[in-house]
Amino acid sequence: MANGDSKLLGAQLGVLTSNGTASIAKAEFSDIVPIRSIIVRPDDDWSALAGQQVRVGGWVKTARKGSKGSRFLQLNDGSCLGNLQVFVEADKVDLGQLARTGVCVVVGGVLKLPPGDKEQKVELKVEKMVHVGPVDPADYPLPKTSLPLEFVRNFVHLRPRTCTISAVIRIRSALAHATHIFFLERGFLNVQTPIMNCSDCEGAGEMFQVTTLFSEGEKLEKDLLKNPPPSEADVEAAKFIVKEKGDVVALLKSSKASKMDIGDAVAELKRAKENLWKLEERSKIQPGIPHKEGKIDYTRDFFGRPTFLTVSGQLQLEAYACSLSKAYSFGPTFRAEKSHTTRHLAEFWMVEPEMAFAELEDDMNCAEAYVKFMCEWLLEKCHEDMEFFAERYDKSCIDRLRMVASTPFERITYTEAVDLLIEVVKNGKEFENHVEWGIDLSSEHERYLTEVKFQKPVIVYNYPKDIKAFYMRLNDDSETVAAMDVLVPKVGELIGAPEQVHLILQSILILERGLPVDLYQWYLDLRRFGTVKHSGFGLGFERMVMFATGLDNIKDCIPNPRIEGRAD
Ligand SMILES: NC(=O)C[C@H](N)C(=O)O
């Protein structure tokens, strides 16, 4: 292909439209093979590749000059850590433009085994340039291959092009795969729990409230230009109606009226409130003052009562476990914690199994088996990426996986853990955080237990009731609850878990914590109707990625980290 032709085709494909060029793209892109299928050869049999015609697409990592103006490109498509060497002769394309980090190319050609080259077992000799997505090096923010993680964090949209983040994503993907295999093969059903809830599962008040943008605002503003604003008397009258309807609802509820009658009255009250709200909003509007100046609150409570992003799917999962025996969810959870640490995110993914007919010990066994299973999975399926993390970030990460996969976890009570830590302090060890019965262990204590004292994962169980959530079963000592945390070297707490409490105590605990009982009525039904012991846990998925890869900052263990002050 002549130089000009390839550039023309490249340019066409670079701006795909929904008509003509899309059909070219389909034909040209349809037989692209993943680079992984070429260069990852566990049997080390390279000879079969020689002479094969293939087409690949990817992004240039580095380039070097060959003889007679030719170029060797290292091409990566994210399917594996390694790059495919691509050899382009000088007359194929504008090489200056091509040989830049970040350029996207689709090329077809023949595979060769370069004689005597120990590094490159196979290379692709380009015969056809199908696509070139150029990069202006003056603007491209990631021109070098080895950049500090703090720096690439500023380019969250481009950082998957780096070796580290693409390897993290492959590890995440493998862990997600392992998770589904583990639970499905053990008879759990995958249940999708809601993202929006009224109740606070952890009772800690660290929730994000959901409001909607008030899209009718501008419409109302225009309306007002035609109609006069409501008078004060109109607003007062609407307020009176809301009060009246509210009284009716209260009366019906206290007189044990039928659910239907109460429902109708509540609906009327809602309508009256809606009307009042509209009048109040309209009375605030001053024509000509743009809403951006903050004259009108453009957010609204869509659900009629405060609603929040989920902090855990546990309560809903309990309902499913108490019907289907074993259920698990795997989804995003949100905590409005102001913890600016390397281990916290405002949005993180949690794997939450829940089992009926199970006590805390069954829970521990399940959690231990699950963590071991994930470690074995990574050792077996992600060897190349794990080697990369060991070489680049944490030389013991592979050994750690092996150790966790093969060593029984230590199991100690919270009281034993605290006694042990107090003893260590007496013997001269200094911790930044105070150790005392009744205070939660801090991450330095957790790491001391797993990294120094036991040098393996530790399950700490039977925590003081006051530092745990309302749903946990109280032990016979009346001081501790049947809860456990799985602590692992490098990250500390990986899993938090309760065995759930029975009805009467549950109601008392909800009241004691000052939580609105009416919001938990449905949850109490699970204890009233056909209840049984059940237990589950929550594994912080990014913590597992951190543990596996040895990365120091959890923000590098999730595609798009969300922390206080940053969601862009
Ligand atoms: N499902 C669970 O047991 C997890 C627990 N709700 C937590 O957030 O720690």
Side-chain angles (χ1 to χ4, degrees), residues 199-201 315 470 510 515-524:
S199 46
D200 175 3
C201 174
L315 303 189
F470 64 88
I510 289 175
L515 298 169
V517 181
D518 64 321
L519 288 182
Y520 294 85
Q521 210 55 57
W522 67 270
Y523 184 64
L524 292 173

Side-chain angles (χ1 to χ4, degrees), residues 2 6 50 61 71 119 129 131 167 202 238 244 253 266 282 327 336 344-345 390 397 441 446 462-463 535 541 564:
S6 66
K61 284 268 178 195
R71 296 287 156 112
E119 287 282 306
M129 297 295 311
H131 168 81
E202 296 305 297
E244 245 185 9
K253 277 189 176 166
V266 168
R282 285 188 52 195
H344 290 89
L345 291 164
C397 65
L441 302 181
E446 294 170 350
N462 290 352
Y463 277 81
S535 193
F541 195 62
E564 196 195 3

Side-chain angles (χ1 to χ4, degrees), residues 179 348-353 370-371 374 494-496 537-544:
T179 295
F348 63 99
W349 282 63
M350 192 145 62
V351 178
E352 297 185 272
Y370 170 45
V371 173
M374 285 192 286
L494 176 67
I495 287 180
F537 62 83
L539 170 131
F541 195 62
E542 286 70 31
R543 295 248 177 123
M544 183 63 207

